[in-house]
């Protein structure tokens, strides 16, 4: 009986590991599932955001390194383009706000074909971009984000939650942020990985000092094969209690990821 239980535990770990690689991370959200130690990930997730102010693009180069299976260090270097509706403002391109990321997984519970994990996360954003006050793209202000990510995944679906606070000392855009994502794999887990995933993702942003509020919804699809992932999503607002100038129409996301 003890040998049988041992075999079941090994099989569960294998199934969870295969599923993690199959489903991949959410597109506009984050997840607590981490890859194995000494793993490197190169990725990008370009956002084209259309708003009342104009159209803005952020194309980041993202590098993540996992010293072990419980921790992650990363750097995000975005290149941005901005086209304003107001002819008095100058269009152009520039380096965006560089981000330095750290994550630590402090809770993990694996069972047969499913897992639940919790991760602490911090993202320090440097004011390397121009001061255009475009939330999440180009603010030109130092930002300090800290949050918790909790996620559950089985061979049938995945759920991720993230709650955090983004502090911006230089303006009134401090943000209490909550993200909720649902992932639905359309194919059975296989090895080598070959998977198509649908994502349904929500973001609630309360800008505490400015008393603004945004509720965004993103619908995405992801294709993963081996070590490569391709993904795209469209995001649009459900609720916008912001100034007319800050209102969003939609965002389009296009991303790739390579694990080595």
């Amino acid at each position: 009986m003890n040998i049988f239980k041992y075999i079941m535990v090994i099989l569960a770990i294998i199934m969870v590991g295969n599923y993690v690689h199959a489903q991949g991370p959410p597109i506009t959200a984050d997840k607590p599932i981490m890859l194995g130690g000494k793993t490197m990930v190169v990725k990008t997730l370009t956002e084209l955001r259309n708003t009342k102010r104009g159209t803005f693009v952020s194309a980041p180069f993202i590098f993540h390194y996992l010293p072990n299976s419980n921790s992650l260090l990363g750097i995000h270097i975005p290149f941005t383009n901005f086209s304003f509706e107001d002819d008095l403002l100058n269009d152009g391109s520039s380096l965006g706000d560089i981000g330095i990321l750290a994550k630590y997984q402090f809770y993990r519970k694996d069972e047969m074909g499913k897992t639940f994990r919790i991760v602490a996360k911090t993202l320090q954003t440097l004011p390397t971009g121009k001061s255009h006050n475009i939330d999440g793209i180009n603010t030109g202000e130092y930002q300090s984000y800290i949050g918790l990510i909790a996620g559950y995944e089985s061979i049938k679906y995945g759920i991720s939650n993230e709650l955090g606070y983004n502090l911006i000392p230089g303006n009134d855009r401090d943000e209490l942020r909550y993200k909720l994502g649902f992932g639905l794999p359309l194919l059975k887990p296989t090895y080598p990985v070959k998977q198509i995933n649908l994502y349904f993702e929500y973001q609630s942003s309360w800008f505490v000092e400015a008393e603004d509020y945004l509720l965004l919804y993103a619908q995405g699809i992801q294709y993963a094969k081996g070590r490569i992932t391709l993904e795209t999503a469209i995001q649009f607002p459900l609720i916008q209690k912001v100034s007319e100038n800050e209102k969003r129409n939609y965002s389009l996301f296009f991303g790739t990821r390579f694990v080595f």
Side-chain angles (χ1 to χ4, degrees):
M1 189 65 180
N2 289 336
I3 295 177
F4 177 76
K5 288 183 178 180
Y6 178 78
I7 294 173
M8 289 298 100
V9 170
I10 296 298
L11 289 176
I13 292 172
I14 293 172
M15 290 177 67
V16 169
N18 286 341
Y19 179 74
V20 168
H21 286 279
Q23 188 168 356
I27 299 173
T28 64
D30 204 347
K31 67 188 291 185
I33 308 298
M34 295 190 185
L35 304 176
K38 310 302 180 183
T39 300
M40 291 181 285
V41 180
V42 174
K43 59 185 292 188
T44 186
L45 183 62
T46 297
E47 178 185 0
L48 186 154
R49 183 187 301 174
N50 183 266
T51 74
K52 300 295 184 182
R53 291 180 64 193
T55 300
F56 311 108
V57 178
S58 176
F61 169 79
I62 300 171
F63 176 77
H64 291 170
Y65 174 68
L66 289 86
N68 53 58
S69 60
N70 294 324
S71 60
L72 181 150
L73 300 173
I75 184 167
H76 301 180
I77 306 175
F79 298 91
T80 61
N81 179 270
F82 28 92
S83 178
F84 294 99
E85 292 291 334
D86 190 341
D87 293 334
L88 297 178
L89 298 175
N90 294 323
D91 299 343
S93 302
S94 74
L95 177 68
D97 299 325
I98 294 176
I100 299 174
L101 173 70
K103 294 167 64 175
Y104 179 72
Q105 179 183 274
F106 61 89
Y107 181 82
R108 172 175 178 171
K109 183 178 181 181
D110 294 336
E111 296 182 17
M112 178 71 70
K114 57 186 177 182
T115 184
F116 176 75
R117 307 183 192 187
I118 304 177
V119 162
K121 170 182 176 179
T122 182
L123 177 66
Q124 305 300 310
T125 304
L126 308 179
T128 51
K130 293 188 176 181
S131 300
H132 288 315
N133 294 321
I134 306 169
D135 294 325
I137 293 182
N138 238 351
T139 66
E141 299 284 350
Y142 171 73
Q143 303 173 59
S144 179
Y145 175 85
I146 187 168
L148 286 176
I149 309 168
Y152 169 85
E153 288 194 6
S154 71
I155 58 175
K156 295 182 178 180
Y157 61 88
I159 303 174
S160 64
N161 298 265
E162 180 176 350
L163 178 64
Y165 192 86
N166 191 43
L167 175 68
I168 310 180
N171 62 28
D172 65 351
R173 303 301 288 176
D174 283 11
E175 177 189 357
L176 180 63
R177 182 186 307 157
Y178 174 66
K179 292 186 177 184
L180 173 64
F182 301 92
L184 179 64
L186 301 183
L187 304 177
K188 292 182 179 180
T190 60
Y191 187 83
V193 172
K194 185 178 181 180
Q195 186 57 266
I196 298 174
N197 306 301
L198 292 179
Y199 282 102
F200 312 85
E201 299 171 350
Y202 297 86
Q203 177 177 325
S204 173
S205 295
W206 177 34
F207 299 94
V208 180
E209 295 179 78
E211 298 184 351
D212 287 346
Y213 179 74
L214 276 175
L215 178 61
L216 306 171
Y217 172 73
Q219 178 68 66
I221 187 168
Q222 181 184 81
Y223 175 70
K225 185 173 183 180
R227 296 177 178 270
I228 300 175
T229 301
L230 305 174
E231 55 198 7
T232 185
I234 181 170
Q235 183 187 68
F236 52 87
L238 300 178
I239 299 174
Q240 294 193 88
K241 293 183 178 180
V242 298
S243 65
E244 190 67 24
N245 196 42
E246 298 295 331
K247 287 189 175 179
R248 306 186 187 191
N249 297 322
Y250 61 86
S251 285
L252 298 177
F253 292 87
F254 308 93
T256 61
R257 182 178 73 134
F258 182 77
V259 179
F260 60 97

